Amino acid sequence: MGRNLTQKIISDHLVSGEMTPGAEINLRIDQTLTQDATGTMAYLQWMAMGLDRVQTELSVSYVDHNTLQMGFQNPDDHQFLRTVAARYGVIYSPPGTGICHQLHLENFAKPGRTLIGSDSHTPTAGGVGSLAMGAGGLSVALAMAGEPYTIPMPKVFQIVLNGQLRDWAGAKDIILHILGLLSVKGGVGAVLEYTGPGVAGLTVPERATITNMGAELGATSSVFPSDEQTRDFLERMGRPEDFAPLAADSDATYDRVIEVDLDALEPLAARPHMPDLVVPIRELDGLTVDQVAVGSCTNSSYTDLKTTALVLRDKIVAPTTDLLIAPGSKQVLKLLNREGLLEVLLDSGARLLECSCGPCIGMGGSPTSGGVSLRTFNRNFEGRSGTQDGQVYLVGPATAAHAAMQGRITAPATWGPAPEKPLLPGSVPSIKQLFIMPPPRETASSVEICCGPNIVPLEDFTALPDQVHAQVLIVLGDNITTDHILPGGAAVTALRSNLPAISTYIFNRVDPDFVNRAQKAEIGIIVGGDNYGQGSSREHAALGPRHLGVRIVLAKSFARIHKANLINFGILPLIFTDPADHDKITLGQNIELTCASLFTSPKTALNLDDGSKISVRHDLTPKELEIIKVGGLLNLVKARKK
Ligand code: MIC
Ligand code: SF4
């Protein structure tokens, strides 16, 4: 029987396990990436493993999230990351070089390779046919140690693209359309594999926009075949030797088939405050726009910024609107400069930001109180922009540029004829010299690792007691994001290397009394709804609660990366047997659980202090149970080394 592309890459990298959806598989990982906000923790964990040199084909440490350097904490992090990279054989990308996913796509991603990254948008590399997945920092550290990466074998959804994009519709509208169809949890447990006649017409930057936002569907990964577009892109990037053709067999089968008619697509937006609240732009006609931001790992390629520039050529941004532009990499910036487009953007009144994540994670660029912000980004969760009541709409670059010019959203029918699709120029400037290559193994051992005072080694975590008496610390609804659990923004993100300090921010935007309650209770339990922990890969959303004594999260269902992070740090993810029981639990209630029973049966009962019982279950593998029992994966790794 024919195989789809996902199955081919998985079987090429399968170390053990059965390729049956849901069964545990272990994959050999070729490449890893980290970014600064998750990287310090990842490398602290790597160092705790006591190894000498990374074992992967390629590992890169990018600094792109927090580059503000307000105070010593953040530059100390960068210095730590630079010295760790040199010491252990990792390539270092200094602050200002660009956003990890854009840089990885341009410089390192290869068709058919596996990549895990301590960032949820790592699947961007699926645009060149890598099987790329977001993971917690500890999982990435283990992959750097040469350990296989464990995931449940994903289902594979075939997304058949028919026809071609027309008028002002762009790649962002394809993925927004799919988000509208499937919802923010519609991709959980699946890889989205793109096929069909519409694929050939999409360039790699367009494909990368689509695979990037597969993360918003909760998908394990998203992947495009490697074809003539891929060859063309890799040639322009100066690395033709990295091309390899790759496609599904013609008789491949899939777990689900979703057809998308590209001819019928029009510019779309995701309304506040979820990426799946998708509406046509024409329905937002007339909405006043206070801020427009173009950039992020979703839409910061040269072609995205060229689209923006073509709309703004000889035009001026509306006086009531602030236009921010963050190019995805220095290569993009150099190209814009070389092609005369930087001048177009600057002359229009756009503000040029550093090549970094910037406003996407609240590093400056927050909108006004209650202000409407149109962003070419991938997440519009409440408060993520840094303005709690900011109204963030996710759009493509063409919509963003028109709104910046008009100061309001206008119907695409009034925009006039769309320009020809922008393409990368034939020759592209290299920025390879900006990556700091690690010294050879023989000299690397003499590199001194600089560890500033805000960098606190990870504490030891205790094993799970057989019997847990816990207090309900918070009861939450569906789709709680990791931004709810631990906000981004400059002030909080500067503390990513200091667990005791950052833990004081857990749930602070949702319930400012949470930390206080958690500190008083000896052991805590968090109660969530469906898709608990969607969004980022930040381990701190598991580590913080663990530091505050949380040992159980009971939810209707979990997002993949966050669930793995909970397990990695010894927090038990339990599921309601009957989701309706969620409403029976109240804040402050005490519960009792015989954890020992979970090791013999996946079902058990929670005893509530009003005398009632609630049936709960887990879907953990024997290995995951063992990790939780000993108090976390690092404990297990250390125990095995002894
Ligand atoms: C995000 O987009 O939410 C982030 C910031 O890139 C996170 C990582 C982090 O919190 O450091 C992600 O997507 O994993
Ligand atoms: Fe950076 Fe935003 Fe992309 Fe996260 S989603 S990696 S914060 S640009």
Side-chain angles (χ1 to χ4, degrees):
M1 201 173 63
R3 289 180 308 168
N4 57 49
L5 180 50
T6 310
Q7 289 166 341
K8 285 187 185 185
I9 304 179
I10 289 181
S11 81
D12 279 355
H13 291 83
L14 193 66
V15 176
S16 59
E18 251 199 52
M19 288 174 51
T20 317
E24 184 175 277
I25 53 167
N26 295 296
L27 293 179
R28 181 168 47 78
I29 296 300
D30 302 319
Q31 302 186 340
T32 64
L33 70 80
T34 54
Q35 43 90 339
D36 49 306
T38 53
T40 48
M41 213 39 103
Y43 293 107
L44 284 171
Q45 297 176 114
W46 155 266
M47 284 161 68
M49 290 178 208
L51 293 164
D52 203 37
R53 190 99 179 155
V54 292
Q55 302 292 311
T56 44
E57 226 171 79
L58 173 107
S59 288
V60 191
S61 171
Y62 296 95
V63 177
D64 56 353
H65 276 62
N66 189 1
T67 57
L68 292 182
Q69 305 186 324
M70 294 158 62
F72 66 93
Q73 295 90 342
N74 192 220
D76 280 2
D77 280 352
H78 302 167
Q79 187 187 42
F80 170 75
L81 291 168
R82 180 171 48 75
T83 50
V84 165
R87 171 71 183 80
Y88 296 108
V90 174
I91 298 172
Y92 178 70
S93 171
T97 314
I99 304 174
C100 56
H101 308 304
Q102 178 68 22
L103 286 171
H104 206 80
L105 190 76
E106 290 170 355
N107 297 283
F108 302 111
K110 292 183 189 177
R113 294 297 208 279
T114 50
L115 159 71
I116 67 168
S118 60
D119 192 279
S120 64
H121 290 102
T122 303
T124 312
V128 291
S130 293
L131 184 67
M133 293 161 281
L138 180 52
S139 304
V140 176
L142 280 165
M144 290 192 292
E147 293 288 324
Y149 180 49
T150 308
I151 50 164
M153 174 67 196
K155 292 182 188 149
V156 186
F157 292 176
Q158 182 186 27
I159 314 282
V160 188
L161 302 180
N162 295 309
Q164 64 177 74
L165 288 171
R166 296 190 183 276
D167 301 324
W168 289 98
K172 184 65 159 278
D173 305 307
I174 300 179
I175 189 64
L176 286 175
H177 171 76
I178 297 170
L179 266 156
L181 285 179
L182 297 187
S183 89
V184 287
K185 56 178 186 169
V188 175
V191 170
L192 271 49
E193 187 171 314
Y194 289 85
T195 70
V199 164
L202 294 176
T203 62
V204 166
E206 290 180 303
R207 295 174 182 189
T209 294
I210 295 167
T211 53
N212 173 279
M213 267 190 96
E216 278 47 71
L217 291 144
T220 303
S221 189
S222 299
V223 65
F224 272 83
S226 172
D227 57 9
E228 284 312 302
Q229 290 279 5
T230 325
R231 182 203 298 275
D232 179 73
F233 177 79
L234 292 172
E235 271 172 10
R236 283 172 209 251
M237 292 299 128
R239 46 192 192 105
E241 67 284 0
D242 288 347
F243 175 71
L246 209 62
D249 291 331
S250 54
D251 56 346
T253 56
Y254 293 87
D255 296 290
R256 183 171 172 190
V257 180
I258 294 147
E259 307 258 350
V260 178
D261 179 9
L262 300 185
D263 292 302
L265 283 188
E266 58 179 313
L268 300 170
R271 284 188 290 112
H273 298 285
M274 268 307 144
D276 60 359
L277 298 176
V278 176
V279 289
I281 288 296
R282 65 186 148 77
E283 287 182 15
L284 301 171
D285 189 7
L287 183 73
T288 302
V289 174
D290 304 282
Q291 184 196 56
V292 172
V294 180
S296 92
C297 55
T298 316
N299 282 115
S300 61
S301 67
Y302 168 75
T303 46
D304 289 321
L305 270 53
K306 183 167 178 181
T307 301
T308 314
L310 292 180
V311 174
L312 289 169
R313 190 187 289 282
D314 300 326
K315 304 277 183 347
I316 290 280
V317 171
T320 47
T321 307
D322 200 13
L323 171 62
L324 310 168
I325 295 185
S329 73
K330 279 195 177 158
Q331 183 184 69
V332 170
L333 185 55
K334 283 175 70 167
L335 262 176
L336 288 172
N337 187 34
R338 198 185 74 189
E339 305 292 310
L341 297 170
L342 187 58
E343 194 159 323
V344 171
L345 291 170
L346 295 177
D347 285 349
S348 75
R351 295 167 57 188
L352 186 65
L353 305 182
E354 192 173 27
C355 303
S356 68
C357 298
C360 181
I361 190 205
M363 294 294 161
S366 300
T368 52
S369 296
V372 170
S373 175
L374 254 58
R375 302 179 158 212
T376 66
F377 303 174
N378 47 37
R379 291 188 172 141
N380 57 349
F381 304 145
E382 192 172 6
R384 181 176 159 99
S385 64
T387 302
Q388 192 58 27
D389 60 357
Q391 304 294 309
V392 176
Y393 292 74
L394 305 173
V395 298
T399 304
H402 280 101
M405 192 166 69
Q406 305 286 352
R408 60 191 167 88
I409 295 184
T410 50
T414 65
W415 296 352
E420 248 181 61
K421 178 152 93 178
L423 297 173
L424 275 161
S427 85
V428 171
S430 170
I431 56 161
K432 274 249 152 73
Q433 77 282 8
L434 301 179
F435 298 112
I436 301 179
M437 305 310 275
R441 195 184 199 124
E442 310 81 67
T443 51
S445 54
S446 62
V447 173
E448 194 198 331
I449 293 171
C450 300
C451 204
N454 187 50
I455 301 173
V456 178
L458 199 55
E459 63 209 51
D460 286 332
F461 290 131
T462 55
L464 185 72
D466 283 348
Q467 194 72 18
V468 168
H469 302 270
Q471 195 188 97
V472 176
L473 298 177
I474 194 163
V475 181
L476 300 148
D478 292 344
N479 294 322
I480 289 297
T481 71
T482 52
D483 285 67
H484 287 111
I485 306 172
L486 179 77
V492 184
T493 308
L495 303 173
R496 287 284 183 99
S497 318
N498 184 340
L499 182 58
I502 206 167
S503 297
T504 61
Y505 290 89
I506 295 293
F507 283 120
N508 79 327
R509 293 222 187 109
V510 178
D511 180 347
D513 205 35
F514 175 87
V515 171
N516 188 22
R517 261 198 313 275
Q519 278 164 343
K520 282 193 191 137
E522 204 181 318
I523 297 187
I525 170 168
I526 291 171
V527 177
D530 257 326
N531 200 24
Y532 179 80
Q534 70 155 324
S536 88
S537 69
R538 69 189 67 145
E539 281 174 320
H540 307 73
L543 272 167
R546 180 73 169 88
H547 174 81
L548 296 169
V550 172
R551 301 304 301 255
I552 304 169
V553 178
L554 172 60
K556 293 181 189 173
S557 65
F558 289 90
R560 178 186 72 89
I561 307 177
H562 186 62
K563 181 178 166 203
N565 285 338
L566 291 173
I567 297 166
N568 280 353
F569 298 107
I571 298 181
L572 185 59
L574 289 180
I575 310 164
F576 287 101
T577 311
D578 176 2
D581 283 344
H582 172 274
D583 301 343
K584 294 187 185 154
I585 302 194
T586 52
L587 183 67
Q589 227 167 3
N590 289 305
I591 64 109
E592 200 185 18
L593 174 72
T594 310
C595 298
S597 71
L598 292 169
F599 297 92
T600 48
S601 157
K603 258 195 176 178
T604 188
L606 276 189
N607 297 314
L608 303 184
D609 54 7
D610 60 5
S612 62
K613 282 184 191 306
I614 280 185
S615 166
V616 296
R617 65 183 178 86
H618 72 76
D619 58 1
L620 303 167
T621 64
K623 184 177 156 196
E624 289 171 333
L625 277 172
E626 197 189 347
I627 294 170
I628 289 170
K629 193 173 181 177
V630 299
L633 184 51
L634 214 45
N635 288 353
L636 195 68
V637 173
K638 285 182 192 161
R640 283 191 182 157
K641 264 182 57 193
K642 277 184 194 150

